[in-house]
Amino acid sequence: MAMNIAENKTLDYALRALQLIFAIIVMGTDGYAIHAFHGHTVYVHFKFGNFYAYYGVPDAWGFLMFCAGWTVLTVAFHLIAGIRFADRALMGYLRVAVEAVAVLSWLAGFIAVAVQISTETCSAGKNSCGLLTAATVFGALEWLLFIVTAARTVMLVFNSSRKLKTSTTKSDADV
């Protein structure tokens, strides 16, 4: 039963389509939040001197954008690898590695942005906070989708019914 679920192409295409749609939503909401965020300059006074510090867009917001871009590449890789190189063992291991990187990057991405939502970086007076909340929610859903597809990919690669080819040469005992 589990093998039939892992080999279901229709379910795989539906999950990949959802991953692509959620990645586009995250790109749009996070991109607009980055655009709408206005950095600010702070005058800092130290004993050794004074300087102006500029606080721009937090790095976590850009990392979430990277995760969405990585998802587009991942979906394209899995569609091409599933069609052209489905019977290659090395390609199966590469598919598992790409899924693992995607799972870990989405986990780190949505948690890093979720932590910053409640800080002064995203206060209630700024209009990008609602967009960041939406991007974080869709990032968490994207992570769950990648957990499902990673489990399916691992089951498909490591539980495959490929037979090892046996040697057709005669043994030395007959000589």
Side-chain angles (χ1 to χ4, degrees), residues 3-148:
M3 194 59 161
N4 292 338
I5 292 173
E7 292 178 354
N8 190 351
K9 291 284 188 188
T10 307
L11 180 62
D12 188 46
Y13 290 145
L15 288 173
R16 298 292 176 194
L18 277 175
Q19 286 175 342
L20 201 57
I21 290 168
F22 285 178
I24 291 170
I25 291 171
V26 169
M27 276 185 199
T29 55
D30 190 36
Y32 187 75
I34 289 171
H35 171 73
F37 182 80
H38 298 291
H40 57 280
T41 304
V42 176
Y43 180 74
V44 182
H45 177 70
F46 286 111
K47 185 169 87 171
F48 302 110
N50 305 327
F51 72 94
Y52 289 96
Y54 178 75
Y55 293 100
V57 176
D59 294 334
W61 300 6
F63 184 71
L64 196 65
M65 186 68 77
F66 162 77
C67 293
W70 176 255
T71 297
V72 172
L73 294 175
T74 301
V75 169
F77 171 75
H78 280 288
L79 291 178
I80 292 170
I83 294 170
R84 303 269 329 262
F85 306 105
D87 58 344
R88 305 270 202 270
L90 180 61
M91 192 57 68
Y93 296 133
L94 283 175
R95 291 174 73 181
V96 170
V98 168
E99 287 282 342
V101 168
V103 166
L104 293 175
S105 64
W106 274 109
L107 178 66
F110 90 83
I111 288 176
V113 174
V115 166
Q116 289 185 346
I117 288 176
S118 62
T119 63
E120 69 275 351
T121 303
C122 187
S123 61
K126 297 183 180 176
N127 57 0
S128 62
C129 295
L131 293 170
L132 277 178
T133 304
T136 305
V137 168
F138 278 103
L141 292 173
E142 189 82 57
W143 173 69
L144 289 174
L145 281 173
F146 269 107
I147 289 288
V148 171

